[in-house]
Amino acid sequence: MKALILVGGFGTRLRPLTLSVPKPLVDFANKPMILHQIEALKDVGVTEVVLAINYQPEVMLNFLKDFESKLGIKITCSQETEPMGTAGPLALARDKLDDGSGEPFFVLNSDVISEYPFAELIEFHKSHGGEATIMVTKVDEPSKYGVVVTEEETGKVERFVEKPKVFVGNKINAGIYLLSPSVLDRIELKPTSIEKEVFPRIAADKGLFAMVLPGFWMDIGQPRDYITGLRLYLESLRKRSPARLASGAHVLGNVLVHETATIGEGCLIGPDVAVGPGCVVEAGVRLSRCTVMRGARVKKHACISGSIVGWHSTVGKWARVENMTILGEDVHVCDEVYSNGGVVLPHKEIKSSILKPEIVM
């Protein structure tokens, strides 16, 4: 089986992290976002993953070359010379996706995190015999999204309603699809939207079905959702493989600590924290609802909450970092400095407090 991951744009919503690497390579729960997807695809027998990309393809490919051999899966790029929307890239990668076997292929948005129930998706797709299956997830406030209206019994998609003013349903597109090769015949090689142009046409021909995604779902393409996604991911990990989570007197709730990280005496870590490879957390540190990425150092008695600390950054002694502060790569927050929602670009030194949310250039 094949899969196409829509890597697409510049990742502006996740700056300053995406100033250092393309968005799919930003760490989430101690490994690049896209790796969560590739590993799950490999588990259900996908042999080739095509990345639809228009930005820094060489950075992505150089990075993923290592994982090709480790995972035993082929990773190739299909490069856009202009942004092609969400359907154009399928037409562009047609030769890679349709090998004549008639097997369906996966299409994924690169910043979606979930339990990836791909085996169930394959089973459902084959059982209904339609042309395409989309995964949907239930939300509390459907008026903020495009809602997918389905037949309750069969899952057949009847129509799409964009940001409905009155309640028509609570299922939204989760950005995970399984498509038969015939779908490619419906897509022209030009910028096209799969959600607004292709899926409504398949639904009109009664060939589009929706499967409700079991478990959690989050689009982690912006900082607030990234932090929420981490909480949901760790909660799911607690159910699926609790042995991977940290435990001990210094741990509160769900915490993921890489085996190469070191944690000092008298720390309190959690809930909902990921500490990456090679990180050093010194004595008396308090971490909650945050990510500390590879190679970062948090000095004695610092406190970090609701924030993201980028690769190789330092948070000084008695410093306080909170309220969706995002430190880019190699940022140094000096001792006793306070950051309230600062968004700090890479390679900066912060010597004075950031009292209200602002971007530090």
Side-chain angles (χ1 to χ4, degrees):
M1 286 184 86
K2 308 283 181 80
L4 178 89
I5 300 179
L6 295 163
V7 173
F10 299 104
T12 48
R13 296 179 305 160
L14 213 50
R15 283 180 183 160
L17 301 168
T18 48
L19 296 173
S20 297
V21 295
K23 184 172 62 178
L25 299 185
V26 170
D27 292 350
F28 176 82
N30 294 353
K31 62 182 163 195
M33 249 180 235
I34 201 165
L35 212 50
H36 291 273
Q37 297 185 331
I38 293 173
E39 287 175 351
L41 289 165
K42 169 77 169 62
D43 288 345
V44 291
V46 169
T47 54
E48 182 176 353
V49 174
V50 182
L51 307 175
I53 193 166
N54 63 11
Y55 175 58
Q56 293 188 321
E58 57 294 329
V59 177
M60 286 282 283
L61 276 182
N62 289 345
F63 178 86
L64 291 167
K65 277 287 166 250
D66 293 349
F67 291 102
E68 263 199 328
S69 47
K70 272 184 207 159
L71 295 171
I73 191 168
K74 188 176 175 194
I75 301 170
T76 56
C77 259
S78 171
Q79 194 184 354
E80 307 166 17
T81 48
E82 57 168 332
M84 297 287 280
T86 49
L90 277 73
L92 195 62
R94 182 187 182 117
D95 297 348
K96 294 182 178 192
L97 296 172
D98 185 3
D99 56 6
S101 68
E103 277 290 306
F105 57 89
F106 289 98
V107 177
L108 278 72
N109 287 340
S110 69
D111 40 17
V112 164
I113 201 92
S114 78
E115 286 171 12
Y116 306 123
F118 295 146
E120 294 95 309
L121 181 57
I122 294 168
E123 205 173 300
F124 176 69
H125 182 78
K126 292 192 169 163
S127 73
H128 66 62
E131 203 175 352
T133 306
I134 65 176
M135 280 212 156
V136 291
T137 185
K138 293 181 175 177
V139 291
D140 296 335
E141 290 182 60
S143 60
K144 294 197 316 201
Y145 303 93
V147 172
V148 183
V149 183
T150 62
E151 267 180 19
E152 211 49 55
E153 269 73 69
T154 60
K156 186 181 284 179
V157 175
E158 293 172 344
R159 61 200 166 102
F160 296 88
V161 184
E162 192 55 43
K163 297 187 177 161
K165 297 282 181 285
V166 294
F167 185 85
V168 291
N170 63 347
K171 300 186 191 91
I172 66 161
N173 180 343
I176 297 171
Y177 319 126
L178 191 58
L179 311 178
S180 300
S182 59
V183 171
L184 294 167
D185 299 334
R186 296 174 174 270
I187 305 171
E188 291 178 58
L189 186 57
K190 62 175 192 183
T192 317
S193 163
I194 200 164
E195 300 85 359
K196 293 189 171 73
E197 297 172 66
V198 181
F199 287 156
R201 292 203 295 267
I202 302 174
D205 294 342
K206 304 196 172 2
L208 183 64
F209 289 77
M211 174 182 154
V212 178
L213 180 83
F216 80 100
W217 175 88
M218 201 72 212
D219 172 340
I220 54 172
Q222 52 192 0
R224 201 165 291 282
D225 296 338
Y226 176 106
I227 295 288
T228 304
L230 181 64
R231 174 176 64 76
L232 296 170
Y233 175 85
L234 294 176
E235 213 169 85
S236 152
L237 207 54
R238 166 77 61 200
K239 292 182 193 126
R240 289 178 299 138
S241 44
R244 286 179 53 198
L245 294 171
S247 58
H250 64 292
V251 171
L252 196 64
N254 299 328
V255 172
L256 192 63
V257 177
H258 194 272
E259 66 220 23
T260 59
T262 58
I263 308 284
E265 290 291 307
C267 291
L268 184 57
I269 297 187
D272 310 321
V273 171
V275 179
C279 289
V280 177
V281 177
E282 294 183 5
V285 163
R286 177 74 182 102
L287 302 177
S288 66
R289 299 186 339 279
C290 66
T291 285
V292 181
M293 291 185 182
R294 184 182 63 247
R297 177 180 284 267
V298 183
K299 293 188 176 175
K300 290 176 183 171
H301 309 295
C303 176
I304 302 172
S305 70
S307 297
I308 301 172
V309 176
W311 310 273
H312 308 290
S313 288
T314 308
V315 175
K317 293 174 192 168
W318 296 101
R320 189 176 182 95
V321 169
E322 62 186 25
N323 189 24
M324 223 39 75
T325 289
I326 314 295
L327 305 181
E329 181 182 14
D330 180 41
V331 167
H332 302 281
V333 176
C334 292
D335 295 352
E336 299 179 35
V337 162
Y338 170 59
S339 172
N340 171 26
V343 172
V344 186
L345 272 65
H347 317 298
K348 293 272 169 260
E349 187 177 28
I350 303 298
K351 291 178 176 170
S352 54
S353 292
I354 300 167
L355 300 178
K356 61 181 197 306
E358 61 173 294
I359 295 169
V360 179
M361 311 282 280

